[in-house]
Amino acid sequence: MLLPNNDGTLAPYRLTGDPLVARAPRVRLTRTAFAAAHVISDPLAARNPWDSRPAVDWAATLAFRHALWDQGLGLAEAMDTAQRGMGVDWRTALELIQRTMVDARAHPMRPRVACGAGTDHLALDALTTTDAIIAAYRTQMEAIEAAGGQIILMATRALPAIKAGPEDYARVYEILIEESAQPVILHWLGDMFDPALTGYWGASDIASANQVVLDLIRRHSAKIDGIKISLLDQAHEEAFRAQLPPGVRLYTGDDFNYAALIAGDGLHHSHALLGIFAAIAPAASQALEALAMGDLVTYHALLAPTVPLSREIFKPPTRYYKAGIAFLSWLNGMQSHFIMPGGLQSSREIAHYGQVYRLADQARLLVRPDLAEERMRSLLALHGIDG
């Protein structure tokens, strides 16, 4: 077929037709790996998609999660990949968490599920003090714990909005960490993912932010499972994780450099809490299996082709990466349509989708090649391209 390029030209492309086969790992993995999954819409039930709560296809959404669990991956639920703050509200996120936890408890692999707790059930103008922010977090934390989920303390837009200083962040997080029923995962999301998080931790430079976070972790390490860092900076993550107290994990959220970070440097390594793992699950699972078996050659052979794909999906504006995740889910038959909450599929151009298609094929991640080609042709036709 003819696929579009960024320069406006068209070029022929033929699928390689050599997909990986999804399966469970044959050995116990040596890295904790959470895939952050998206929400699948129900287009027939949606009304006023820009102005109302999203209509969710619960069967397809949960089936997608089962497919991740079947491959030995954990789940990061109701995170930014699920369009929190970009089309999915807290009421929908809570129902998602509750339904997911019911299914997770019944799944034979007993998968780990960690769920995003934030403050997004309230508008920013209702969150003008640290006490109000703490109370908002508590509401969501209590709901997640009641459902049986582990808590991820998601970065909140409310703290930068009130120009909170380092002492404010320390107070908010210390109270929430100590009140949690089990160790939490902290969440440091860079402004490339959400511009409203600029200046997080009350610091204008990365060195000062590091100090705030590391001091917090050292004081409360017994109640902290780990920290997810999504700054797309490999050197920063490597330096940061070397300073963590024993027992506190670094969960990479670096969708550009995850392969090297998870493999490690011989002294330290990162675990994973990644949106891209939802899109590359067969490669991720089988690469982690190889790593657990000490087979670095196979590990890198499986993950290396996924890195260009991930960099394309997470290209600037990075916050629109969710569209690429849903696109691959559609190509692979995990959903019957390419419609997202709030119509977010329109956030990327057709040349981007053409490149994702190419790179997914080259990474052996178009698991149903005939279906993927048929659906790609239909998307091209909608854009006036006769493939």
Side-chain angles (χ1 to χ4, degrees):
M1 72 174 71
L2 294 175
L3 292 179
N5 298 312
N6 283 328
D7 62 4
T9 62
L10 298 172
Y13 187 80
R14 184 183 298 275
L15 291 177
T16 63
D18 180 31
L20 293 168
V21 177
R23 58 172 176 80
R26 299 187 179 104
V27 298
R28 184 179 179 85
L29 302 183
T30 54
R31 303 291 188 269
T32 301
F34 293 103
H38 71 300
V39 169
I40 300 175
S41 292
D42 180 351
L44 293 178
R47 301 292 181 271
N48 302 316
W50 283 14
D51 298 324
S52 61
R53 291 184 62 206
V56 178
D57 182 337
W58 292 112
T61 294
L62 292 169
F64 187 87
R65 283 143 177 78
H66 279 262
L68 297 173
W69 296 335
D70 290 345
Q71 295 176 77
L73 299 175
L75 178 70
E77 187 57 282
M79 299 291 290
D80 49 293
T81 305
Q83 290 181 240
R84 289 287 289 274
M86 292 185 70
V88 170
D89 61 325
W90 167 242
R91 285 175 59 197
T92 303
L94 177 56
E95 184 174 357
L96 175 63
I97 289 165
Q98 291 168 335
R99 287 174 178 263
T100 293
M101 292 311 306
V102 169
D103 278 26
R105 284 192 292 271
H107 194 277
M109 295 189 75
R110 298 293 189 269
R112 282 191 64 181
V113 180
C115 308
T119 63
D120 53 326
H121 59 290
L122 295 176
L124 289 179
D125 59 12
L127 297 169
T128 57
T129 67
T130 55
D131 283 341
I133 293 169
I134 291 167
Y137 266 119
R138 279 184 182 135
T139 295
Q140 297 197 14
M141 290 172 64
E142 290 169 1
I144 290 168
E145 289 181 339
Q150 182 182 7
I151 288 170
I152 302 173
L153 284 174
M154 294 180 69
T156 174
R157 295 169 179 169
L159 285 166
I162 65 170
K163 296 181 169 52
E167 67 285 351
D168 299 313
Y169 282 85
R171 175 174 179 267
V172 168
Y173 277 88
E174 284 176 346
I175 290 172
L176 299 175
I177 290 166
E178 290 305 319
E179 288 183 353
S180 66
Q182 59 179 310
V184 303
I185 297 175
L186 304 181
H187 181 235
W188 187 353
L189 194 66
D191 56 11
M192 69 288 292
F193 288 91
D194 186 347
L197 300 178
T198 301
Y200 213 74
W201 304 112
S204 58
D205 63 276
I206 196 72
S208 299
N210 285 345
Q211 199 58 52
V212 174
V213 184
L214 285 167
D215 286 348
L216 175 72
I217 292 172
R218 287 164 181 156
R219 290 194 303 272
H220 301 277
S221 60
K223 292 295 294 289
I224 297 173
D225 172 351
I227 179 169
K228 165 190 161 72
I229 296 183
S230 298
L231 300 180
L232 306 183
D233 185 334
Q234 180 176 343
H236 171 266
E237 183 171 319
E238 289 171 337
F240 188 96
R241 74 186 180 193
Q243 300 178 70
L244 288 173
V248 177
R249 298 178 178 91
L250 193 302
Y251 289 103
T252 188
D254 188 335
D255 299 277
F256 286 4
N257 303 295
Y258 52 90
L261 288 163
I262 293 169
D265 57 14
L267 293 175
H268 305 94
H269 61 261
S270 297
H271 298 268
L273 200 162
L274 289 159
I276 194 58
F277 269 23
I280 68 166
S285 171
Q286 291 170 43
L288 292 175
E289 174 190 76
L291 184 63
M293 297 172 69
D295 184 355
L296 279 171
V297 173
T298 299
Y299 170 83
H300 286 296
L302 285 164
L303 281 191
T306 73
V307 173
L309 170 65
S310 187
R311 289 181 176 233
E312 177 65 26
I313 289 174
F314 285 80
K315 73 174 187 175
T318 302
R319 61 189 179 276
Y320 298 132
Y321 75 87
K322 295 92 168 168
I325 305 293
F327 175 61
L328 285 178
S329 174
W330 175 58
L331 291 182
N332 283 324
M334 295 302 296
Q335 56 196 80
S336 61
H337 57 81
F338 184 32
I339 301 296
M340 300 176 68
L344 197 72
Q345 71 278 358
S346 65
S347 63
R348 294 296 201 189
E349 70 280 1
I350 188 60
H352 168 73
Y353 292 126
Q355 184 66 350
V356 169
Y357 179 83
R358 291 185 190 96
L359 293 171
D361 176 48
Q362 292 160 20
R364 304 176 65 195
L365 292 168
L366 295 182
V367 298
R368 298 172 61 182
D370 292 346
L371 178 66
E373 181 172 346
E374 174 188 326
R375 291 185 167 181
M376 189 70 220
R377 287 184 186 278
S378 71
L379 185 65
L380 292 169
L382 285 173
H383 288 79
I385 300 170
D386 183 1

